Amino acid sequence: MQRPEPAPGTLYLVGTPIGNLGDLSPRARELLRQVDVIACEDTRHSGQLLGSLGAKGRKLSFHQHNTRSRLPQLVELLKQPLSLALISDAGLPGISDPGEALVTAARAEGHEVICIPGPCAATTALVSSGLPSGRFCFEGFLPTKGRERQQRLAEIAKETRTTVIYEAPHRLLALLDAIASQCGEDRPLLVARELTKRYEQHIGPTVGAARRHFREHAPQGECTLVLGGAPSQAIIQPSEAELLRRLEEHIEAGASASVAARQLAEETGTSRRELYALLHRRTPH
Ligand code: SAM
């Protein structure tokens, strides 16, 4: 027999649809209808869904800008003890959206945490990609700029498992360019667009093909990237010509010779001295 829910003093992480409302499970629906309090990433965004369910619980916002002030209030509600559900704008709370901190705080105070599973863009994109899913990595959103981004991209390029990445549509082309520069145009890649929605598309099958597609069709809607892993036998070292091309790319983007050498050393594992020497040996033009 299933345990009665919602139970007082329990935090429920409730998965909601990533586009198709039919994906809300009967269990999630019932829980949201009955629970005392619902913490939403955006109360206006979730208002429509909750209204259609006849959810009577009190709605509170919980997002990255009010996490610190809201956390103690939510834990206090659990202590009363009220039942509390957490939902995000879409998908599984805690995957690239607030959730983790609340789960940690609730557990630290001895409250039960139960997940009512639902759709997640990462796993939905992964299993539909046809790329190996036996072992995979989830990267969420990459840092948007700077050294941290370069390092993360370099790590991803060497990763032998399939990697799933989230990206906003207006940054997709820049990310595809960066992946092409690190992994080459031929690396397998599928961009899952508008999953579960009317115009769902899976665009690939390589980095180059996806780049060409999105140069012609400006990216719109939600996108998740599924990138094939690096060949596991031998991590292919870029040729001297390729290294030089990438050094020049960094320099054209405004880096000094030494900064370009340092950046590429981080990206490829080739020594900075070797790269610097390569720059000095190049034929002037
Ligand atoms: N918690 C969500 C989940 O479980 O998938 C993810 C939230 S994260 C803030 C939003 C990102 O998820 C989007 O930028 C996009 O990369 C991905 N995403 C969400 N819905 C999607 C969809 N319908 N199709 C493709 N990607 C989606």
Side-chain angles (χ1 to χ4, degrees):
M1 208 171 82
Q2 283 176 2
R3 69 163 92 186
E5 54 190 22
T10 299
L11 168 65
Y12 295 89
L13 306 170
V14 184
T16 57
I18 54 171
N20 188 325
L21 293 181
D23 293 333
L24 186 72
S25 76
R27 183 180 171 208
R29 194 177 284 266
E30 202 43 43
L31 188 290
L32 290 174
R33 234 188 294 225
Q34 306 286 342
V35 73
D36 296 318
V37 183
I38 306 174
C40 317
E41 201 175 348
D42 178 342
T43 45
R44 276 215 312 222
H45 175 96
S46 299
Q48 215 178 341
L49 173 76
L50 296 174
S52 73
L53 301 176
K56 295 179 285 292
R58 181 174 162 205
K59 285 106 193 150
L60 289 174
S61 66
F62 179 61
H63 46 71
Q64 55 174 344
H65 304 295
N66 72 357
T67 309
R68 209 193 274 192
S69 58
R70 203 52 117 191
L71 263 183
Q73 294 171 0
L74 294 174
V75 173
E76 200 47 50
L77 294 172
L78 286 169
K79 270 191 200 150
Q80 285 192 18
L82 294 175
S83 57
L84 171 65
L86 174 68
I87 60 172
S88 64
D89 280 351
L92 209 50
I95 300 292
S96 296
D97 50 31
E100 197 179 314
L102 181 56
V103 173
T104 308
R107 284 203 178 279
E109 294 293 324
H111 294 284
E112 183 128 43
V113 180
I114 303 277
C115 178
I116 300 192
C120 171
T123 46
T124 308
L126 173 71
V127 297
S128 10
S129 70
L131 291 167
S133 59
R135 297 171 69 222
F136 66 93
C137 307
F138 174 64
E139 281 289 337
F141 291 97
L142 301 191
T144 49
K145 49 188 177 206
R147 205 170 158 174
E148 227 189 310
R149 178 175 169 92
Q150 286 306 330
Q151 272 172 355
R152 194 76 73 82
L153 281 160
E155 282 166 24
I156 291 171
K158 287 189 220 140
E159 175 56 62
T160 53
R161 292 166 292 181
T162 301
T163 298
V164 182
I165 306 170
Y166 285 161
E167 190 52 291
H170 65 280
R171 283 200 286 261
L172 180 68
L173 265 174
L175 179 58
L176 290 174
D177 288 348
I179 292 176
S181 143
Q182 296 275 345
C183 308
E185 296 257 331
D186 297 332
R187 180 77 74 92
L189 174 90
L190 264 292
V191 178
R193 227 197 112 242
E194 296 287 83
L195 285 164
T196 77
K197 304 186 198 175
R198 180 167 180 176
Y199 297 109
E200 172 166 347
Q201 269 184 314
H202 298 262
I203 296 139
T206 60
V207 174
R211 256 177 124 194
R212 284 190 292 281
H213 173 94
F214 286 109
R215 279 200 191 127
E216 279 173 29
H217 308 92
Q220 280 181 343
E222 312 256 32
C223 292
T224 297
L225 289 78
V226 186
L227 178 70
S232 59
Q233 298 302 317
I235 305 284
I236 300 158
Q237 276 303 318
S239 65
E240 282 201 354
E242 172 67 8
L243 289 171
L244 199 52
R245 185 189 67 73
R246 286 169 60 177
L247 280 167
E248 282 170 348
E249 226 172 59
H250 281 303
I251 291 169
E252 271 163 32
S256 65
S258 69
V259 168
R262 195 188 63 218
Q263 282 179 345
L264 199 60
E266 277 163 12
E267 289 166 23
T268 61
T270 312
S271 85
R272 199 158 65 166
R273 203 139 53 102
E274 203 179 313
L275 292 168
Y276 206 57
L278 197 61
L279 264 178
H280 283 276
R281 283 206 306 274
R282 78 181 154 169
T283 350
H285 50 247

